Amino acid sequence: MMDADSFTAFHEQLHRWVRERLVPAETEVIRINRVPDDIRAEMADMGLFAITTPEEYGGAGMSISQYIATMQEISWAAPAFRSLLSINVGMVTTSLKGGTDAQKAEWLPKTAGGMVAAFALTEPDSGSDSAGLKTRAVRDGDHYVLNGTKRYITNAPFADMVIVMARTHVEALPKNAHISAFIVPVDTPGVTIGAPDEKMGQTGAQIADVIMEEARIPADCLLGREEGRGFQTAMQSLDNGRLSIAACSAAYAARALDSGLKYATERKAFGEPIAGFQLIQAMLADSKAEIYAAECMIRDACAKADTGARVTLEASCAKMFASEMCGRVVDRVVQIYGGAGYLKEYDAERFFRDARLYRIYEGTTQIQQLVIAKQMLRAMDG
Amino acid sequence: MKILVPVKRVIDYNVKPRVKADQSGVDLANVKMSMNPFDEIAVEEAVRLKEAGTAAEIVVVSIGEQKAQETLRTGLAMGADRGILVVSENMPEPLAVAKILAKIAEEESPDLVILGKQAIDDDSNQVGQMLAALLGWAQGTFASKVEVAGDKVNVTREVDGGLETLALSTPAIITTDLRLNEPRYASLPNIMKAKKKPIDEKTPADYGVDTAPRLEVVKVTEPPKRQAGEIVPDVDTLVAKLKELGAVA
């Protein structure tokens, strides 16, 4: 982990950078539907792609608390910024840490330096039920031949490398040992990236299909050079991914509320600012309390995770609560804005659309309910 | 070339300052502090000279409470090489600061001292000029452009009538204006490296400087609240109103 003083110095500066650089660039991000190149370069220069990379590979080696706090800070701005680095610092880095020394030495400095990598698990017919995964990887001498389609792959249009989960056994094995992870350079013949999907919100973040047709990759690209470990690798990063979504839900709710609060003090009705009306105040107060609750959950879960404890239950609780909470807050902010809240000209409308995704990805609220209940029942049996 | 950059820890520019109830000063309890923005510009200018190969070493100095060490770390993260912290729990007045800096300049023999033109807390705008006088060095204040040309330093200043360019012989003192440059954000690796850079700790006594105040703050007050305006329909009403208020005869 980073020492506390250095992290504080970094965090304070990040807070400023987000407000001085990212927020003013939001209009441009929406106009060009991507993070502008100069901001992307600045993100790389500042070391944001390297926050979770171990120090020996050129990273900051942040603790879970520090990593999540960083994501939370960035998520004050439009989601596209966080999205661009979230896969690198989350699933990709976690996966690569499970690689061989040679794989780590080759790829970690690149992903830390700002080369965008994607993580491909979801398919047209399988999502959280990873057992039904269809993409095949067949050994052929010194190579593997990959066939299949991955769907909703974040950053695929920007990526130079994709970590692909593929089936190395036809029949399903216990603990999903039929799934292996592969490091697939995007320029591999037979690999194509589909056109970016058009989304409800989160403009500037891009997702697309990753299609593999007879894509031959060297056997060295098998992550960890061991078949059957892919699913475990994927699962290791799930708890952190959920904490990350919880953190950006809390941050985006705070951003929306800040915007709603300002609007309420400026907009007048019946001769006074609407912030003076108690029914508006109720919406502001409920939102504030809920954001605070989510922040406390996230901090608690992160502190536990820092000790090395598994936080599957806490991460799911935090993700479910924070994302649903964010949905309620952005809805209230649209309400506070009134008619203006329904217009694209004002921020409230965009916050409302952007936030909808938080209740869906990294496991829907319904999946979180299953995870939480499963943990409870298991503890009861145990 | 060696550059000395004094930096001050001040109330953060985003914070709305509040005056203490006893009117003795601004309330700094639990208030966010950071490097004086003009000093950030000074550090940035020094770092750019280093990156251009003109400067070889940058030394940052801060005078103030122990926590000014954080401010030095900020300068080190931006690219300075080492720091000197002169611990003084009561913030010395500009003349004492200039005397301490003069002693440090004698010890360090820098070619340039780049300072912020003023600190945003007391807005004194005196240290750079006093330091130049104490050392007998050339000074270029309110710099909006700095150019090293051989053994001269060309400093462009924003003056009332336009731009004035001075050619200074080194060693020289430069104070920075707002438009000199846009300070960088320190990178994460550089913030981590800054932790390992050396900071020397001193006291004003080490330099034989008496920091006892010569000035007395009589009273600090908030700026008066702006009175609500009134929109008048035409010039006649305006004139009538002004007469009524005694603003015109």
Side-chain angles (χ1 to χ4, degrees):
Chain A
M1 64 173 276
M2 270 178 89
D3 70 273
D5 289 345
S6 298
F7 182 75
T8 304
F10 166 72
H11 197 193
E12 280 179 5
Q13 178 180 256
L14 184 68
H15 180 88
R16 196 171 125 187
W17 180 75
V18 166
R19 281 150 187 83
E20 289 176 2
R21 292 286 293 156
L22 299 191
V23 170
E26 287 178 343
T27 322
E28 178 68 0
V29 167
I30 291 163
R31 193 181 70 78
I32 63 175
N33 189 25
R34 55 184 297 157
V35 173
D37 290 342
D38 59 333
I39 301 263
R40 182 172 159 179
E42 229 170 278
M43 289 166 90
D45 286 347
M46 279 180 69
L48 291 176
F49 288 92
I51 55 175
T52 55
T53 311
E55 278 191 66
E56 59 265 40
Y57 296 102
M62 285 187 182
S63 67
I64 307 284
S65 291
Q66 293 170 339
Y67 153 51
I68 297 300
T70 303
M71 298 316 268
Q72 191 166 346
E73 198 60 59
I74 293 168
S75 303
W76 174 268
F81 302 109
R82 173 199 159 271
S83 182
L84 187 61
L85 50 92
S86 64
I87 311 298
N88 275 44
V89 301
M91 288 176 284
V92 169
T93 301
T94 311
S95 302
L96 287 174
K97 280 187 201 163
T100 62
D101 286 345
Q103 288 168 339
K104 285 191 263 197
E106 180 178 0
W107 294 101
L108 280 172
K110 288 184 189 169
T111 58
M115 181 206 82
V116 173
F119 184 90
L121 172 63
T122 304
E123 298 185 355
D125 297 318
S126 86
S128 295
D129 56 333
S130 311
L133 187 133
K134 288 203 176 107
T135 297
R136 283 283 283 143
V138 177
R139 180 93 189 213
D140 179 20
D142 287 343
H143 286 74
Y144 279 94
V145 180
L146 272 63
N147 278 289
T149 298
K150 295 293 182 177
R151 183 138 296 169
Y152 309 140
I153 305 308
T154 303
N155 289 342
F158 310 129
D160 288 324
M161 184 269 271
V162 184
I163 292 185
V164 175
M165 295 292 144
R167 230 182 158 87
T168 37
H169 264 85
V170 179
E171 64 281 12
L173 297 176
K175 295 189 172 174
N176 290 300
H178 53 285
I179 301 173
S180 302
F182 295 89
I183 299 169
V184 182
V186 169
D187 60 7
T188 304
V191 175
T192 42
I193 306 294
D197 293 310
E198 294 197 23
K199 312 187 299 309
M200 176 191 286
Q202 304 223 347
T203 310
Q206 292 193 12
I207 59 172
D209 284 1
V210 175
I211 304 139
M212 287 151 291
E213 294 162 305
E214 296 293 309
R216 287 177 70 85
I217 52 166
D220 278 349
C221 294
L222 171 65
L223 193 68
R225 296 221 61 175
E226 196 185 322
E227 288 189 6
R229 283 186 45 209
F231 192 78
Q232 279 168 287
T233 306
M235 290 305 111
Q236 270 169 10
S237 55
L238 269 183
D239 293 347
N240 293 354
R242 285 172 180 166
L243 287 172
S244 179
I245 301 304
C248 58
S249 301
Y252 214 49
R255 167 77 184 281
L257 183 60
D258 178 70
S259 168
L261 178 64
K262 280 191 187 124
Y263 188 82
T265 55
E266 284 161 12
R267 165 77 180 173
K268 284 185 180 153
F270 307 102
E272 65 168 304
I274 60 170
F277 299 125
Q278 290 179 341
L279 292 177
I280 297 286
Q281 289 176 0
M283 289 195 276
L284 294 171
D286 285 352
S287 301
K288 187 74 183 174
E290 287 197 277
I291 291 168
Y292 182 49
E295 287 171 347
C296 289
M297 290 173 87
I298 293 161
R299 228 168 288 155
D300 175 68
C302 286
K304 284 184 179 145
D306 280 344
T307 67
R310 284 295 297 269
V311 291
T312 306
L313 174 84
E314 291 85 350
S316 279
C317 288
K319 196 273 177 183
M320 177 173 81
F321 179 79
S323 61
E324 292 287 335
M325 175 282 287
C326 185
R328 290 190 291 273
V329 169
V330 295
D331 185 66
R332 287 183 201 122
V333 170
V334 168
Q335 200 67 17
I336 290 168
Y337 267 76
Y342 201 67
L343 300 183
K344 276 196 185 292
E345 191 186 332
Y346 294 86
D347 286 339
E349 182 263 357
R350 152 171 81 102
F351 296 150
F352 185 79
R353 286 182 291 108
D354 286 350
R356 191 61 184 84
L357 184 59
Y358 296 143
R359 290 151 65 191
I360 296 170
Y361 68 171
E362 291 287 337
T364 59
T365 290
Q366 289 67 35
I367 288 288
Q368 307 307 333
Q369 290 173 319
L370 297 184
V371 171
I372 296 163
K374 190 173 163 188
Q375 295 285 322
M376 292 166 68
L377 292 168
R378 195 180 278 172
M380 185 87 170
D381 286 346
Chain B
M1 176 177 269
K2 181 169 170 181
I3 305 177
L4 188 70
V5 184
V7 294
K8 186 176 182 185
R9 181 174 190 263
V10 299
I11 185 167
D12 187 82
Y13 69 102
N14 278 315
V15 174
K16 190 179 181 299
R18 297 198 189 281
V19 172
K20 283 190 214 166
D22 66 0
Q23 298 196 312
S24 62
V26 170
D27 191 357
L28 295 179
N30 300 317
V31 167
K32 184 169 154 46
M33 306 288 281
S34 48
M35 188 191 288
N36 175 38
F38 289 107
D39 301 347
E40 274 192 332
I41 295 171
V43 175
E44 175 66 31
E45 196 62 20
V47 173
R48 287 185 191 189
L49 287 169
K50 192 178 172 190
E51 285 169 346
T54 311
E57 191 188 20
I58 302 167
V59 183
V60 280
V61 186
S62 194
I63 303 167
E65 55 180 329
Q66 190 68 39
K67 281 186 173 167
Q69 186 174 330
E70 291 165 16
T71 310
L72 287 176
R73 293 277 173 217
T74 306
L76 296 172
M78 287 174 75
D81 299 290
R82 60 187 171 89
I84 300 171
L85 175 64
V86 184
V87 182
S88 169
E89 285 312 319
N90 291 319
M91 191 58 217
E93 288 169 2
L95 183 58
V97 170
K99 283 179 180 169
I100 294 169
L101 292 177
K103 290 284 182 196
I104 293 173
E106 279 166 14
E107 275 180 15
E108 295 281 344
S109 316
D111 300 282
L112 283 179
V113 183
I114 309 181
L115 310 86
K117 69 169 181 181
Q118 67 197 69
I120 60 166
D121 51 359
D122 58 16
D123 279 337
S124 293
N125 192 334
Q126 292 174 339
V127 173
Q129 296 88 331
M130 286 173 167
L131 180 62
L134 289 170
L135 292 168
W137 292 4
Q139 60 176 312
T141 53
F142 315 144
S144 62
K145 195 177 164 194
V146 172
E147 218 174 32
V148 177
D151 58 349
K152 298 274 182 200
V153 180
N154 295 325
V155 174
T156 305
R157 318 174 60 228
E158 295 184 357
V159 294
D160 286 347
L163 298 175
E164 177 188 61
T165 303
L166 304 175
L168 310 180
S169 303
T170 55
I173 310 289
I174 296 171
T175 74
T176 63
D177 212 332
L178 200 61
R179 280 166 290 277
L180 179 58
N181 61 48
E182 232 180 276
R184 72 195 57 202
Y185 297 92
S187 73
L188 191 47
N190 286 342
I191 289 172
M192 293 169 75
K193 273 184 222 149
K195 188 83 185 168
K196 299 184 183 93
K197 292 181 179 174
I199 293 180
D200 252 359
E201 218 176 286
K202 301 280 189 183
T203 63
D206 292 335
Y207 299 103
V209 175
D210 169 17
T211 57
R214 268 72 166 170
L215 307 171
E216 188 194 339
V217 173
V218 180
K219 195 166 82 170
V220 175
T221 53
E222 304 245 354
K225 289 254 184 311
R226 204 166 152 242
Q227 299 290 319
E230 192 183 329
I231 294 172
V232 292
D234 50 40
V235 176
D236 289 344
T237 325
L238 175 66
V239 173
K241 283 269 180 203
L242 289 173
K243 279 187 178 161
E244 192 184 303
L245 292 167
V248 293

